[in-house]
Amino acid sequence: VRDITNPDTITDRVGQTNFGCPGNGNGCFGDLDGSGEVDSGDVSLCLLDTGPCPGCQSDLDGSGEVDSGDVSLCLLSTGPCQ
């Protein structure tokens, strides 16, 4: 969901700012829940969003759908944000 007051901000389904969106410039890649690390919560968000999802925060590779490539990117990014 895009925040109309700030076009560079994307929020998840519960209203938390997404710090892991490619190009957002905040946090680290793959940190979808803004926890400061890429962990099982972020992988879970990817899995929950599986399927066609243009512009979705979990679409880490920008393909227009959340698929195994996005889950793989999330898994490869696990660990604390630098």
Side-chain angles (χ1 to χ4, degrees), residues 18-56:
N18 169 26
F19 294 102
C21 181
N24 192 4
N26 297 324
C28 65
F29 183 82
D31 183 19
L32 302 173
D33 60 8
S35 66
E37 65 181 344
V38 180
D39 57 13
S40 60
D42 303 298
V43 175
S44 296
L45 287 173
C46 274
L47 292 171
L48 286 169
D49 286 338
T50 299
C53 196
C56 190

